[in-house]
Amino acid sequence: MFERLRARRRRGAETAASAASAATPAGPDLVSVGTKRTESLLRRLEWTVVRRLDGLLQGDYRTLFRGFGLDLADLREYRPGDDVRHIDWNVTARLQTPHVREFQEDRDLSAWFVLDLSGSIEFGSGEVRKRDLLNDFTTVMALLLTRYGNRIGAVLYGGSADTDASMIPPRSGRRQLLHLLDRMHATPAACPGETRLRDLLERARAVAKRRSVMFVVSDFISTPGWQTSLGMLARRHEVVAVRLVDPLEMALPDLGLVVLQDAETAEQMFIDTHDPAFRKRFAAAAEAREAELRLAFARAGVECLTLSTYAPMDLALLRFTRERRFRQGAAKAATKAATKSSTTAPPRNAA
C-alpha cells in the first residue's frame, strides 16, 4: 500500500515538474539548444566538410591565425593602429622602416562571427540560398574552433530596422556552439530597408575588446560607407571577409520579360532579359562592382573568401587555406631575405 502511494507521489511530482518546465520560458543560454534541426545540421556538416578540413585550418595546438602566442611567427611593416609594444626595434633600425612582430596563437583563440542576415542573404537562384551558405560556413568554422578549446562569439544583424545588432559573448564548448546556431536560425529572415553594413561593423568593433579573428560573412550589398569601418576593424583584429555570391548576380540568362523585386526594399522592376544590350550592361555593372569590392578589401588589408551557391564549400575553404599559407610563407621568406641582406651590406661610407 505504501509503495503504491509513493509511486503515485513520484508520478505526480514528475508531472508537475514537466508542466512547470513547459510553462516556464527558457533563458537566453538555454534557448532550444537541443533542437533536431541544429543537431542534424551538425551531423551532416561534420561528415561532409569538417572531417576533410580538420587539421588543415588548424592543428591540435596551433591555429592558422595570428594572435598573442609566445612563438614568433612573422614580421611585417607597421600599420596605423598596431600595438607599439610589438615593434621589433632591431629590425626597424636595420631596415629603416617600422616592423611589428606577429606571434603564433596557441589554443586560446577568440573568434567572432559577424553575420549579415539582411534581406539580400535570402536570395538563391538554385536549391542553395546565400543564407544556407552562411549557416553552413558558420557551423563548420565553429565546430573546428570549439573542439580545440577556442572561444566563439557572434554579432547578428537583421537589416536597417535592426537598430542594435544582437551579440553573443565569446565562450567555448559545444553548448556555446549550439546556442550560437540556435540564435542564428531563430533570427528573422529580414527587416525591410536597405542594408547598412557599416552599423554591423561598428557594433563588432565596439564589443570585441581583445584582439580576435573576425569572420565578416555577408554579400556586401549595402549602402556606401562600410569600407572605412572594415579598415578600422582590420587594424586591431585579424579579419577575413567571407563573401556570399550567386551566379545570377553576375550575369542574366535570356528569360524574356520578367519582373524583379528588390529583396530589401520590395521595389519591383519590369525588364526584358531577351535584350542583349541590357544583359551586357548588367554584366558590366556587375564587373565594376567586383573591381570595387576587390579594391576595398585590398585597401583594408583584408583577405576575402568567396563562397558560391553553385560550388562546394569544402573546396573553396581548402583553396583559401592553401593560398593563405602560401602567402604567409612567401612574406616570411621575403622578410628574412631583406633582414639578411641589410645585415651583410657594407656601410654606406665605406671606401
Side-chain angles (χ1 to χ4, degrees):
M1 177 179 177
F2 291 105
E3 290 296 328
R4 288 197 299 270
L5 289 175
R6 293 193 186 98
R8 290 178 182 175
R9 289 174 181 173
R10 284 196 299 269
R11 286 196 298 269
E14 292 172 357
T15 304
S18 60
S21 61
T24 303
D29 295 333
L30 301 174
V31 180
S32 304
V33 295
T35 57
K36 294 182 179 179
R37 179 178 55 183
T38 303
E39 290 290 350
S40 62
L41 177 64
L42 288 175
R43 286 195 298 269
R44 176 176 64 83
L45 291 176
E46 191 161 7
W47 279 102
T48 58
V49 181
V50 174
R51 289 180 180 273
R52 186 172 184 181
L53 297 175
D54 197 9
L56 292 176
L57 295 180
Q58 63 178 24
D60 287 340
Y61 293 95
R62 296 185 182 275
T63 68
L64 186 61
F65 304 99
R66 306 292 167 80
F68 289 117
L70 298 178
D71 297 333
L72 180 65
D74 199 1
L75 290 167
R76 62 170 175 82
E77 289 191 10
Y78 175 86
R79 293 196 297 260
D82 289 336
D83 193 340
V84 295
R85 294 174 297 179
H86 294 163
I87 294 179
D88 191 317
W89 296 106
N90 294 329
V91 176
T92 299
R94 287 195 293 266
L95 300 182
Q96 301 297 315
T97 304
H99 278 68
V100 295
R101 295 182 177 183
E102 287 187 332
F103 300 93
Q104 189 68 44
E105 183 66 80
D106 295 328
R107 291 175 63 105
D108 188 12
L109 173 71
S110 295
W112 287 83
F113 294 95
V114 184
L115 306 179
D116 174 15
L117 301 176
S118 57
S120 59
I121 299 296
E122 298 295 326
F123 177 74
S125 59
E127 296 181 357
V128 179
R129 301 173 304 161
K130 289 189 286 186
R131 174 133 187 180
D132 299 330
L133 275 180
L134 182 144
N135 295 340
D136 291 353
F137 172 81
T138 305
T139 304
V140 167
M141 293 305 302
L143 271 172
L144 290 171
L145 289 167
T146 54
R147 68 170 49 188
Y148 295 108
N150 299 311
R151 296 180 304 228
I152 57 172
V155 182
L156 295 84
Y157 174 79
S160 60
D162 188 4
T163 56
D164 191 10
S166 59
M167 187 266 292
I168 301 175
R171 296 188 181 91
S172 60
R174 184 176 178 83
R175 188 181 183 86
Q176 171 74 353
L177 167 64
L178 295 174
H179 175 51
L180 186 151
L181 297 181
D182 190 70
R183 285 279 297 276
M184 184 174 61
H185 289 300
T187 301
C191 295
E194 295 182 342
T195 302
R196 293 196 296 263
L197 192 58
R198 178 181 179 180
D199 296 346
L200 175 62
L201 298 174
E202 291 295 333
R203 172 67 170 165
R205 191 159 66 98
V207 299
K209 303 300 182 182
R210 177 185 175 184
R211 178 176 170 85
S212 309
V213 177
M214 292 278 187
F215 296 101
V216 182
V217 189
S218 173
D219 57 3
F220 293 93
I221 299 177
S222 169
T223 57
W226 58 267
Q227 296 87 345
T228 303
S229 299
L230 182 65
M232 295 292 292
L233 188 68
R235 289 183 179 182
R236 180 173 179 81
H237 305 281
E238 184 80 17
V239 179
V240 178
V242 183
R243 186 178 171 221
L244 312 175
V245 299
D246 188 274
L248 201 60
E249 297 173 338
M250 300 299 300
L252 286 177
D254 186 359
L255 300 175
L257 298 174
V258 296
V259 177
L260 300 182
Q261 177 173 326
D262 193 303
E264 297 181 351
T265 62
E267 179 184 358
Q268 293 184 348
M269 181 179 296
F270 189 72
I271 63 173
D272 182 12
T273 59
H274 184 66
D275 184 6
F278 175 79
R279 296 200 306 271
K280 186 176 181 180
R281 292 195 303 270
F282 183 89
E287 183 59 33
R289 181 174 178 272
E290 287 291 314
E292 182 182 355
L293 284 176
R294 288 194 295 267
L295 181 61
F297 293 144
R299 287 179 174 175
V302 172
E303 295 182 349
C304 179
L305 166 63
T306 302
L307 299 179
S308 173
T309 56
Y310 277 74
M313 184 180 62
D314 55 346
L315 297 180
L317 285 172
L318 288 171
R319 182 170 59 253
F320 175 78
T321 302
R322 295 192 182 103
E323 291 176 355
R324 184 185 178 93
R325 284 182 171 172
F326 176 78
R327 287 192 296 267
Q328 289 181 353
K332 188 175 182 179
T335 303
K336 286 184 177 180
T339 305
K340 184 177 180 181
S341 62
S342 64
T343 54
T344 57
R348 296 180 180 178
N349 57 357

